[in-house]
Amino acid sequence: MAFSLWSFATKWYDLKPMAIMGDNYRCLHSPSRDFAPFLKPKSSFSSSILSLSVTRKLPRKTFQVNSVSVPTESVAGFDEMVSGTQRKYYMLGGKGGVGKTSCAASLAVKFANNGHPTLVVSTDPAHSLSDSFAQDLTGGRLVPVEGPISPLFALEINPEQAREEFRSASKSNGGTGVKDFMDGMGLGLIADQLGELKLGELLDTPPPGLDEAIAISKVIQFLESQEYNIFTRIIFDTAPTGHTLRLLSLPDFLDASIGKILKLRQKISSATSAIKSVFGQEENRPDSADKLEKLRERMIKVRELFRDTNSTEFVIVTIPTVMAINESSRLSASLRKESVPVKRLVVNQVLPASASDCKFCAMKRKDQTRALSMIESDPELSNLTMIQAPLVDVEIRGVPALQFLGDMIWK
Ligand SMILES: Nc1ncnc2c1ncn2[C@@H]1O[C@H](COP(=O)(O)OP(=O)(O)OP(=O)(O)O)[C@@H](O)[C@H]1O
């Protein structure tokens, strides 16, 4: 007896709408059967599902065919992604819910199984890495992921915790706590300026963009801190599009803002020295201009990293729906404007081929085919290497499942 949503629905819910879905899904070749034998039951609930699923192992070729032709001789396959020990950064982004986390986690597992000590970082304030790896990764620090051959660590940047620390830091020691906290994040230079400009009090309510600033501070740490030296692949599971674009443009914005502050300071300082020289006072210049200049250099480094085609790649993840593809097109245009390198487009959740489509699947397939053809005619997307990933009929959770998904996507 093979597992399908049909059996799941009738066994657990006895819901008619699910039964319709189940009937429709039954007509698919289910890729999930292939990885089911590797899954470890987590509870009696899942083990009863798995006992239904391990019965038949289909040969892989059964579900390799997709509804729309894929550029299989892709210009850049996984071989290119895995080659070299120089560190590479991969950022996976797209519309909410399309499978960014699943794709990012599966890529991380694949890299780690191919000899790369890998770090996967979630910059999405609504993390789902823990769910994806079926492991508790909360706490805002590096956590080892069990399973892959080479070391794989995950980090969920915890903006809520950071915000909370920020709030209490800005209250403690008349504002000096802000500096301690920001020092801890590698943003001490900003804190100096905040202290000087007496902005500490204003930061009781964290400013918009703090999540992105925290993520940037992590990138700075990856670049500069010894702790991260071992990682040859760093993958970012990014937040949905809007957040991510803010993250990518923040270094530019900060660089420009710092430039303006520096100019302003220069003007003020020459006016002040003129006054001071009139009154014969000794000039006592703080070194904060230097610090600002250093901060600016760091922002330039991050900005260059985001644009470096040798070390960085942004992978757009989408699903075959008109709405998701339109958003991906806009994302691609924005990334191009920001000069962020993009080569690949993962189209996730494509219905696997079936010899006998039911009415629901036939409709769905038609819809997906139309959406996929939009990609081919979209000026922002058509030049990207398209990778199709099939929709599977169980949730992708845990390293074995991610390994299975990764082997289908990253080839
Ligand atoms: N190819 C697939 N087949 C079946 N289910 C999938 C597939 N890819 C992802 N999913 C499921 O879709 C859901 C959303 O996936 P995921 O969390 O990876 O998306 P996301 O884009 O990161 O979401 P968010 O924007 O909310 O962070 C999860 O339940 C995941 O297991």
Side-chain angles (χ1 to χ4, degrees), residues 68-69 371-379 381-383 386 388:
V68 172
S69 64
L372 284 160
S373 66
M374 276 174 66
I375 295 175
E376 282 159 28
S377 54
D378 187 296
L381 302 175
S382 56
N383 58 341
M386 190 189 353
Q388 290 189 31

Side-chain angles (χ1 to χ4, degrees), residues 93-104 122 124 126-129 131-132 237-240 317 319 347-350 389-397 405 408-409:
K95 192 173 162 60
V98 295
K100 296 180 293 296
T101 305
S102 307
C103 291
S122 169
D124 185 349
H127 299 293
S128 40
L129 266 189
D131 290 332
S132 189
D237 169 26
T238 69
V317 182
I319 51 172
V347 186
N348 190 25
Q349 303 184 13
V350 177
L391 175 74
V392 298
D393 67 358
V394 290
E395 218 172 2
I396 312 279
R397 291 189 75 232
L405 182 72
M408 288 193 289
I409 303 177

